[in-house]
Amino acid sequence: MRKLIATGAFLLPLLAAPAAIAPALAEGGHGPALLPAKFSFEGPFGTYDRAAAQRGFQIYKDVCAACHSMSLLSYRNLMDLGLSEAAVKGIAADVTVQDVNDKGEQIERPGKPSDHFRKPFPNEAAAAAANGGAAPPDLSLIVKARPDGARYVFSLLQGYVEFDKLSDQEKAAFGLAKDYKLEDGKHFNKYFHPGEQGYKIGMAPPLADGAVTYIDGTKNDLPTMARDVVTFLAWAAEPKMEDRKRTGVRVILFMLIFAGLMYAVKRKVWADAH
Ligand code: HEC
């Protein structure tokens, strides 16, 4: 029993320091290290900063949605972020969706809260054709689909460099090949596929200082916008994370109390035998 309690005590510090367990992407000299950032949703008690996530949705809606789908989300899911039913109805109604009526005819109608987020392109081929050959990926799970995803997307959005302005020295520091060329329609990003012929992304810088004016008046510089949209994308990728953490904490608490109780019982039962 003492062993069990010792195990419980051993688990506690693990709970407090999960950040140290997260993988560091840029180790081994493979491209620049990601920007250091702490997010509200990290750690065993982390939660999504609702205000940031709502602002992040505004950025997705006003900027990213022109190219990126988020097909796993429905408008009504936004109520989890604290938006009212009326606000969600309004957001959905602003979107025109394709549907089929009772007679089997193609129609367009205003969106409803139960509709999935509208896709900007009918299919992947069309998306690629409109974007110089590189289709913008669906963003529903992007934060889970990349190593250290939140920090990666946060860095990527701020990782654009004007290639023409790089000195030969800087180019060498990136490890670029002698015959490196940035083709038309490609942009140089410090965090995208590093390598001799790497760093080429088919997405123009989507955000810059002041790109979106926030409804709530928050300062709209690039780092704030990047953090907000990442908070929204992290929530989208794992909307039940908070429940999961809460359950985990309860289970550990229960086990600690139960272990204590069992120890007390053991002492009582064996008291006369000693
Ligand atoms: C004008 C179209 C366009 C807009 C607007 C846009 N993107 Fe992209 N995005 C792309 C394209 C195209 C790619 C694929 C690039 C490639 O594979 O070279 C991409 C790729 C990405 C990726 C994946 C990178 C990877 O590791 O594969 C992320 C993340 C991303 N975009 C986030 C965003 C966010 C967040 C916004 C809004 C702030 C946004 N994008 C706005 C076109 C766009």
Side-chain angles (χ1 to χ4, degrees), residues 74-104:
S74 303
Y75 294 105
R76 64 176 166 209
N77 296 139
L78 294 170
M79 280 157 68
D80 287 354
L81 286 185
L83 291 179
S84 69
E85 197 174 340
V88 168
K89 275 190 177 147
I91 289 166
D94 278 346
V95 178
T96 305
V97 299
Q98 309 273 345
D99 204 352
V100 180
N101 69 9
D102 295 346
K103 298 189 190 113

Side-chain angles (χ1 to χ4, degrees), residues 16-271:
I21 302 168
L25 185 71
E27 269 169 19
H30 211 65
L34 298 179
L35 295 174
K38 287 253 171 289
F39 296 103
S40 64
F41 46 86
E42 293 174 316
F45 307 108
T47 53
Y48 297 114
D49 176 342
R50 291 294 190 278
Q54 287 188 17
R55 290 194 299 272
F57 168 67
Q58 197 194 333
I59 294 195
Y60 170 74
K61 177 168 75 75
D62 291 354
V63 182
C64 324
C67 300
H68 291 277
S69 59
M70 287 190 81
S71 50
L72 296 184
L73 286 192
S74 303
Y75 294 105
R76 64 176 166 209
N77 296 139
L78 294 170
M79 280 157 68
D80 287 354
L81 286 185
L83 291 179
S84 69
E85 197 174 340
V88 168
K89 275 190 177 147
I91 289 166
D94 278 346
V95 178
T96 305
V97 299
Q98 309 273 345
D99 204 352
V100 180
N101 69 9
D102 295 346
K103 298 189 190 113
E105 298 155 344
Q106 285 276 351
I107 52 157
E108 289 191 339
R109 61 161 175 82
K112 294 181 289 195
S114 57
D115 284 324
H116 282 249
F117 276 24
R118 194 185 71 106
K119 292 183 184 169
F121 300 104
N123 57 38
E124 187 149 340
N131 284 281
D138 186 275
L139 294 184
S140 311
L141 296 174
I142 196 79
V143 165
K144 294 247 146 201
R146 299 285 179 272
D148 205 2
R151 241 174 303 278
Y152 168 68
V153 177
F154 178 72
S155 303
L156 186 79
L157 292 171
Q158 302 178 74
Y160 288 91
V161 173
E162 279 190 58
F163 181 67
D164 297 338
K165 293 200 180 142
L166 285 180
S167 66
D168 288 344
Q169 230 170 0
E170 285 168 318
K171 285 182 190 164
F174 279 113
L176 303 183
K178 285 264 175 301
D179 61 347
Y180 184 91
K181 264 207 183 61
L182 197 62
E183 293 84 13
D184 275 356
K186 297 285 177 198
H187 305 265
F188 192 93
N189 191 302
K190 283 197 259 184
Y191 305 105
F192 191 72
H193 295 177
E196 281 193 355
Q197 296 289 350
Y199 306 102
K200 297 174 187 177
I201 188 164
M203 167 168 74
L207 292 176
D209 287 334
V212 170
T213 304
Y214 283 130
I215 307 172
D216 70 1
T218 299
K219 191 166 132 220
N220 55 354
D221 56 352
L222 177 57
T224 307
M225 287 187 292
R227 170 177 295 274
D228 289 349
V229 77
V230 164
T231 304
F232 170 67
L233 294 175
W235 165 79
E238 207 187 345
K240 298 284 175 236
M241 182 236 7
E242 290 157 334
D243 292 347
R244 179 169 63 71
K245 284 183 182 170
R246 250 191 308 260
T247 308
V249 168
R250 279 191 201 132
V251 166
I252 300 276
L253 268 180
F254 168 78
M255 293 209 300
L256 288 176
I257 293 168
F258 190 68
L261 203 68
M262 284 293 106
Y263 181 63
V265 168
K266 178 252 173 202
R267 282 184 59 125
K268 179 118 189 126
V269 167
W270 288 86

